[in-house]
């Protein structure tokens, strides 16, 4: 799959203010949450001593460029195949497994809000996103599609929500997405693999 031409025009907010907010908020998050990050890393290591703490997976980023995304490990390999670990179940239910992606936000690979970076096998969604300009938006920790059903959405529906976000990127819309996400995480709604 080749990169697209960068045809969608980003707003002033998206190009400058959103990126500045991503840097400031992710930096604050990393510093404030560092004790929690350390505790989770120790718990993951204790649960599966032979495996790395972080799970790495190739995902599509902005302009369909692949990058290696990190999460806290929630799965183990055994004779029967991959299974969710004891701590992994809790991390997924609370979405704490996603916290290492704050480092991606800080470096600019991701944003706090945007279409989720898709696994390379999800080419159908990537192609559908293309018609909406959603591949030209920096992927996010959370996004409009995530708060409307996450992985339960059909590919066309997911792409449509991602396209709606791409068309409406603004400070107020990002705030709305973040507030809805916090509410869903606290209520543990729509939690699934993303």
């Amino acid at each position: 799959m080749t990169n697209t031409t960068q045809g969608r025009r980003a707003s002033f907010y998206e190009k400058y203010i959103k990126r500045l907010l991503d840097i400031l908020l992710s930096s604050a998050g990393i510093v404030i949450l560092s004790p929690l990050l350390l505790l989770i890393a120790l718990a993951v290591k204790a649960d599966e001593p032979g495996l790395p703490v972080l799970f790495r997976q190739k995902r599509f980023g902005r302009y369909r460029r692949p990058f290696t995304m990190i999460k806290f490990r929630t799965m183990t390999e055994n004779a029967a195949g991959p299974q969710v670990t004891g701590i992994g179940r809790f991390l997924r239910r609370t979405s704490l497994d996603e916290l290492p992606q704050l480092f991606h936000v800080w470096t600019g690979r991701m944003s706090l809000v945007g279409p989720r970076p898709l696994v390379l096998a999800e080419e159908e969604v990537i192609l559908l996103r293309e018609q909406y300009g959603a591949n030209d938006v920096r992927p996010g920790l959370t996004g409009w599609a995530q708060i409307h059903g996450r992985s339960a959405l059909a590919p066309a529906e997911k792409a449509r929500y991602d396209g709606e976000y791409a068309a409406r990127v603004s400070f107020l819309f990002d705030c709305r997405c973040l507030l809805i996400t916090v509410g869903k995480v606290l209520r543990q709604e729509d939690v699934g693999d993303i």
Side-chain angles (χ1 to χ4, degrees), residues 48-151:
E48 287 294 329
L51 294 174
V53 168
L54 296 176
F55 171 72
R56 291 173 168 80
Q57 186 178 50
K58 285 281 188 190
R59 299 269 182 132
F60 283 115
R62 193 177 191 189
Y63 307 125
R64 294 165 42 178
R65 293 185 186 123
F67 74 104
T68 302
M69 192 183 81
I70 57 172
K71 296 174 146 186
F72 281 119
R73 178 174 294 283
T74 59
M75 303 282 284
T76 186
E77 288 283 343
N78 61 27
Q83 290 185 336
V84 179
T85 64
I87 189 70
R89 223 176 326 278
F90 170 75
L91 294 177
R92 285 184 173 198
R93 196 171 57 244
T94 57
S95 296
L96 291 172
D97 59 323
E98 309 288 345
L99 287 180
Q101 291 161 43
L102 285 171
F103 291 97
H104 292 315
V105 175
W106 185 74
T107 61
R109 289 253 185 222
M110 291 176 65
S111 179
L112 290 174
V113 182
R116 280 294 291 168
L118 298 172
V119 296
L120 301 188
E122 291 186 275
E123 287 196 31
E124 181 183 0
V125 180
I126 283 289
L127 293 173
L128 289 167
R129 276 182 176 179
E130 197 65 37
Q131 63 188 323
Y132 298 111
N135 291 328
D136 298 343
V137 177
R138 200 182 310 269
L141 278 175
T142 187
W144 196 231
Q146 275 55 52
I147 59 180
H148 284 91
R150 287 181 135 174
S151 57

Side-chain angles (χ1 to χ4, degrees), residues 31-45:
V31 171
I32 293 166
L33 297 173
S34 58
L36 178 61
L37 292 168
L38 179 60
L39 282 174
I40 293 171
L42 291 171
V44 170
K45 194 65 177 172

Side-chain angles (χ1 to χ4, degrees), residues 167-180:
R168 297 176 60 189
V169 178
S170 70
F171 175 73
L172 290 178
F173 195 43
D174 280 357
C175 289
R176 181 179 176 193
C177 290
L178 286 170
L179 288 173
I180 294 171

